[in-house]
């Protein structure tokens, strides 16, 4: 009789715990639903037909030109008797970046995480009457730097931030690549795909749609890659093969370069790079990768491995085929864990959704097993998102 009572008590305890977990799941799903509704409402408010979109584009370009003229006048008036300018620097955007991310949620933290995602820069004519002339010769380079404005970053800057890989621990903002900076300027290294007129198509997306571009510079390994020392300055420059392999490696969130990128940056030999690649890609190998060259030094939390295993259930696999969505693009985003520290700690192992072009991806994280399962990939109904042509990437 006593054993039966204990058994019943144990079952009641288990049932209470299950009910508690279910309630938490419901609360989390309600929170996700609320955010999805807010996103849909914002998209509906911004929705425009093709004719209205063209008119809005012309209006924005006119406003940009007017703003540029006003800022030039204001900056000229700020010059004092000594010819000095005050402590406010104003920059005129040279164009707009069109990407597959209408919202900040799940935007890759580094360009190499989104290396399969094609985006487009459209230069405007507010600076140059013929902006396509400014791109003459850029097609001779394989990669370029994009300097842009974090225009959706409205948070108050703080001297210390919490990078995702530090698990909530704070560190100086200038020790990270966080977008929450006193001067919200982004810098991304991307691969040039095609240049037509005043339009640049590139691979390596870590920006939200509509991001203003401030400047474009070609990537030159001779100057942009660190060298070991003066004696080896002419022998340790990254070769074209190494720079081409840049996007074959995986860059960690918040500017945390992978071991392969650090090796390539200082001109490691192909043999060493291949050995490092095998060690990084095969978790069964216990031997650590070779030490970094003395010229390159990064904290341990940057080089520490942290990648999630991504899988798709049968329903999601079927939807991928029906919608013709590139599966690997979703894998690249999720394996780098796009969640913030707040979401990961407070709502760990829960449902997570994000938009990618014209589809919404729903997945579930399992933090204990370091896995994430995609459970649904659905098309956004009654909402138009500025999509990009999915051209196959040349290999």
């Amino acid at each position: 009789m006593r054993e039966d009572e204990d058994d019943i008590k144990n079952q009641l305890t288990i049932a209470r715990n299950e009910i508690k977990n279910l309630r938490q799941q419901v609360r989390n799903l309600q929170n996700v639903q609320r955010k999805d509704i807010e996103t849909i409402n914002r998209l509906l408010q911004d929705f425009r037909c093709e004719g209205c979109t063209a008119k809005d584009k012309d209006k924005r370009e006119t406003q940009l030109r007017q703003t540029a003229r006003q800022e030039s006048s204001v900056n000229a008036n700020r010059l004092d008797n000594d010819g000095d300018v005050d402590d406010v620097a104003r920059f005129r955007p040279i164009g707009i970046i069109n990407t597959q991310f209408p919202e900040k949620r799940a935007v890759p933290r580094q360009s190499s995480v989104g290396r399969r995602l094609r985006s487009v820069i459209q230069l405007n004519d507010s600076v140059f009457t013929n902006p396509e002339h400014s791109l003459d010769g850029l097609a001779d380079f394989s990669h370029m730097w994009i300097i842009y404005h974090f225009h959706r970053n409205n948070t108050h800057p703080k001297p210390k931030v919490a990078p995702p890989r530090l698990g909530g621990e704070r560190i100086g903002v200038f020790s990270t690549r966080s977008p929450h900076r006193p001067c919200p300027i982004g810098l991304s290294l991307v691969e040039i795909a095609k240049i037509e007129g005043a339009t640049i198509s590139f691979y390596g997306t870590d920006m939200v749609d509509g991001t203003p571009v401030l400047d474009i510079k070609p990537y030159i390994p001779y100057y942009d890659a660190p060298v070991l020392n003066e004696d080896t300055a002419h022998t340790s420059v990254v070769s074209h093969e190494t720079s081409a392999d840049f996007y074959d490696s995986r860059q960690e969130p918040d500017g945390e370069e992978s071991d392969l990128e650090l090796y390539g940056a200082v001109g490691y030999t192909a043999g060493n790079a291949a050995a490092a690649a095998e060690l990084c890609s095969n978790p069964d190998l216990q031997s650590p990768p070779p030490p970094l060259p003395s010229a390159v030094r990064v904290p341990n939390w940057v080089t520490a491995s942290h990648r999630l295993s991504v899988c798709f259930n049968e329903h999601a696999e079927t939807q991928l085929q029906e919608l013709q969505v590139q599966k690997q693009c979703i894998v690249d985003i999720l394996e780098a864990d796009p969640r913030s520290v707040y979401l990961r700690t407070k709502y760990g192992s829960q449902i997570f959704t994000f938009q990618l072009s014209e589809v919404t991806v729903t997945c579930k994280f399992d933090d204990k097993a370091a896995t994430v399962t995609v459970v649904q990939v659905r098309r956004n109904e009654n909402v138009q998102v500025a999509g990009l042509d999915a051209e196959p990437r040349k290999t």
Side-chain angles (χ1 to χ4, degrees):
M1 188 67 179
R2 180 66 178 176
E3 293 179 356
D4 293 340
E5 290 180 358
D6 292 340
D7 186 55
I8 292 174
K9 289 181 179 179
N10 289 334
Q11 292 182 14
L12 287 173
T13 301
I14 294 173
R16 290 192 186 100
N17 291 334
E18 289 295 328
I19 292 172
K20 182 179 179 181
N21 292 335
L22 288 173
R23 287 174 176 169
Q24 182 64 39
Q25 291 263 7
V26 170
R27 285 194 292 268
N28 293 339
L29 289 173
Q30 288 174 340
N31 184 52
V32 172
Q33 182 188 36
R34 177 180 58 80
K35 292 184 177 180
D36 286 343
I37 292 174
E38 292 175 353
T39 299
I40 292 172
N41 287 334
R42 286 196 299 271
L43 289 172
L44 289 175
Q45 291 173 359
D46 297 336
F47 173 77
R48 296 290 185 276
C49 64
E50 292 183 0
C52 295
T53 301
K55 292 180 181 178
D56 290 344
K57 181 180 179 181
D58 294 338
K59 185 178 180 180
R60 283 197 303 269
E61 291 179 351
T62 301
Q63 290 175 345
L64 279 173
R65 284 191 285 268
Q66 292 176 349
T67 302
R69 287 193 292 267
Q70 292 173 358
E71 289 179 350
S72 298
S73 176
V74 170
N75 287 335
N77 293 333
R78 283 201 180 111
L79 291 171
D80 59 22
N81 295 331
D82 296 328
D84 296 329
V85 185
D86 63 15
D87 60 353
V88 177
R90 298 180 182 274
F91 298 95
R92 183 192 312 178
I94 63 172
I96 297 294
I97 306 177
N98 295 319
T99 77
Q100 300 184 45
F101 295 95
E103 298 292 333
K104 294 187 293 183
R105 190 179 183 87
V107 173
R109 295 190 179 97
Q110 287 299 305
S111 58
S112 60
V113 175
R115 68 194 185 282
R116 292 181 176 86
L117 297 172
R118 190 176 70 88
S119 296
V120 174
I121 293 178
Q122 180 64 53
L123 299 184
N124 56 47
D125 56 1
S126 63
V127 178
F128 303 116
T129 305
N130 299 305
E132 62 274 10
H133 293 176
S134 65
L135 300 180
D136 185 26
L138 184 60
D140 295 334
F141 296 86
S142 64
H143 295 74
M144 66 180 180
W145 296 102
I146 305 177
I147 303 172
Y148 51 92
H149 176 213
F150 289 118
H151 68 301
R152 299 283 292 275
N153 180 17
N154 300 320
T155 60
H156 181 71
K158 297 180 180 179
K160 285 194 172 185
V161 295
R165 298 191 64 186
L166 277 179
E169 182 180 345
R170 294 189 174 274
I171 194 171
V173 65
F174 296 129
S175 309
T176 73
R177 300 190 186 183
S178 168
H180 306 295
R181 322 183 71 81
C183 294
I185 297 175
L187 174 68
S188 296
L189 178 60
V190 303
E191 181 180 355
I192 300 172
K194 183 171 57 176
I195 298 178
E196 288 184 343
T199 301
I200 310 172
S201 299
F202 66 89
Y203 288 101
T205 302
D206 60 348
M207 317 92 175
V208 71
D209 187 49
T211 296
V213 182
L214 302 179
D215 199 6
I216 297 168
K217 298 177 184 291
Y219 171 74
I220 304 175
Y222 186 88
Y223 302 113
D224 296 344
V227 295
L228 295 176
N229 51 55
E230 294 182 359
D231 295 333
T232 59
H234 297 289
T235 60
S236 61
V237 177
V238 179
S239 65
H240 288 291
E241 290 81 8
T242 304
S243 63
D245 291 337
F246 181 89
Y247 277 87
D248 291 333
S249 57
R250 303 293 180 86
Q251 189 163 346
E252 299 294 344
D254 262 3
E256 301 148 11
E257 293 86 348
S258 65
D259 295 335
L260 288 181
E261 288 159 358
L262 293 171
Y263 295 152
V266 292
Y268 248 44
T269 64
N272 287 336
E278 183 180 5
L279 288 170
C280 293
S281 61
N282 191 344
D284 296 330
L285 297 177
Q286 300 299 321
S287 301
L292 295 174
S294 58
V296 178
R297 187 164 51 88
V298 294
N300 291 332
W301 64 269
V302 171
T303 56
S305 176
H306 177 74
R307 292 215 162 262
L308 300 178
S309 176
V310 182
C311 58
F312 294 73
N313 65 12
E314 186 176 348
H315 180 58
E317 291 279 7
T318 302
Q319 291 176 318
L320 284 175
Q321 296 295 328
E322 294 175 351
L323 299 175
Q324 296 183 344
V325 178
Q326 295 186 23
K327 179 179 180 180
Q328 193 59 44
C329 292
I330 298 176
V331 172
D332 291 342
I333 293 171
L334 291 178
E335 70 177 2
D337 197 346
R339 298 173 299 170
S340 64
V341 175
Y342 174 80
L343 287 177
R344 196 167 62 220
T345 54
K346 188 169 183 179
Y347 301 106
S349 300
Q350 297 299 328
I351 296 295
F352 181 85
T353 63
F354 65 93
Q355 290 187 48
L356 180 63
S357 189
E358 296 181 351
V359 301
T360 295
V361 180
T362 304
C363 55
K364 189 177 188 304
F365 287 87
D366 184 346
D367 292 320
K368 291 184 178 179
T371 62
V372 53
T373 303
V374 178
V375 297
Q376 186 181 65
V377 182
R378 60 180 174 85
R379 187 177 298 279
N380 299 328
E381 299 294 341
N382 302 323
V383 176
Q384 286 189 355
V385 179
L388 299 172
D389 296 332
E391 293 184 355
R393 185 178 180 186
K394 296 180 181 180
T395 57

